[in-house]
Amino acid sequence: RALEYREKSEALERERKQKLEKAQEAAEQEKRGLLSAARSEVDEQRDKWREEVQREYHELRKTLEREMIVSSVETARRALAEIANVALEDRVVAIFLQRLTSLSKKEREAFLDGSKALRVASSFELDAKTRERLRHELSPEADIEYVHDERLICGIAVTGRGYKLEWNFASFLGNLENRIEQLLAAPAADRLRA
């Protein structure tokens, strides 16, 4: 009987050890699974945080670049408006008239032919002599409305029949602003080539 008891006791002890080993192995697997899940969650959160920081950085950079463009163009506009004088205004009118007379016959007809109402906008007041020169080149029979428009910045524009002919620094600055925005919007490699 003692032998039988000892064998049963040893069998029970082996069974207990096997169950304990299985439980320990299951606990270790669970621990590894939880650690792996925690690492994955931490990695995912870190990646999301990095993406958010990158996105905010790019937004801030874009905002700063845009502000730089606007500020630079606005500074140039103010400077040009301040340096405008009679000699410069006469030169602006001369350049505009040169542009007008250089239009092809087809362009000139589309713009002026038969137009009874024209609008002449300028960034400065036009004297009677300049108005007469413009009337002579545009259309002696047209009803011309003369308006002052500071947005043109050292410039002049004529609108008629849905067409517009202009010469002013504002368009140069607008083109510059558009070009800078295109460069900034392009990938860095393309910017270097431009």
Side-chain angles (χ1 to χ4, degrees):
R1 221 170 218 253
L3 182 63
E4 190 181 312
Y5 175 75
R6 197 171 42 141
E7 285 176 357
K8 280 186 179 184
S9 181
E10 287 174 0
L12 282 173
E13 184 62 26
R14 280 191 305 272
E15 187 177 326
R16 185 184 71 75
K17 282 184 180 179
Q18 286 176 348
K19 285 183 179 181
L20 183 60
E21 285 174 6
K22 282 183 181 178
Q24 286 175 336
E25 188 178 315
E28 192 61 35
Q29 272 186 320
E30 181 67 20
K31 178 183 167 183
R32 284 192 300 264
L34 290 172
L35 284 174
S36 177
R39 276 191 210 103
S40 294
E41 189 173 328
V42 166
D43 289 346
E44 185 179 316
Q45 289 297 323
R46 185 186 61 233
D47 290 345
K48 284 181 180 178
W49 177 78
R50 282 182 180 161
E51 288 173 8
E52 181 66 19
V53 167
Q54 281 284 28
R55 186 187 61 72
E56 287 178 8
Y57 168 78
H58 289 296
E59 284 179 11
L60 176 62
R61 183 174 176 180
K62 203 172 192 179
T63 300
L64 289 174
E65 288 172 344
R66 177 72 182 134
E67 285 300 316
M68 185 179 69
I69 291 168
V70 168
S71 179
S72 298
V73 171
E74 186 55 36
T75 300
R77 280 192 172 109
R78 279 195 309 267
L80 289 170
E82 287 181 21
I83 65 168
N85 60 32
V86 174
L88 180 59
E89 292 168 0
D90 287 343
R91 188 68 191 130
V92 167
V93 171
I95 292 169
F96 178 78
L97 288 172
Q98 188 177 30
R99 255 197 181 177
L100 181 64
T101 57
S102 69
L103 290 177
S104 71
K105 184 177 181 179
K106 185 177 180 179
E107 291 171 321
R108 197 171 171 88
E109 285 174 0
F111 182 59
L112 300 172
D113 193 39
S115 183
K116 298 296 181 209
L118 295 173
R119 184 174 189 265
V120 176
S122 63
S123 59
F124 44 87
E125 291 298 323
L126 299 172
D127 60 27
K129 181 181 172 187
T130 302
R131 288 181 182 208
E132 189 53 42
R133 285 172 52 203
L134 286 168
R135 176 177 292 287
H136 175 75
E137 288 298 329
L138 290 167
S139 174
E141 303 86 32
D143 179 26
I144 301 177
E145 174 191 12
Y146 294 95
V147 294
H148 182 244
D149 186 352
E150 291 180 357
R151 292 174 297 174
L152 291 173
I153 303 176
C154 296
I156 188 167
V158 176
T159 309
R161 295 185 62 183
Y163 293 93
K164 185 174 188 176
L165 179 65
E166 66 182 330
W167 190 92
N168 62 72
F169 284 116
S171 61
F172 287 109
L173 293 172
N175 290 340
L176 173 64
E177 187 175 5
N178 290 338
R179 180 66 180 133
I180 291 171
E181 285 179 351
Q182 288 171 355
L183 285 172
L184 292 175
D190 291 347
R191 283 189 227 165
L192 293 175
R193 281 182 273 195

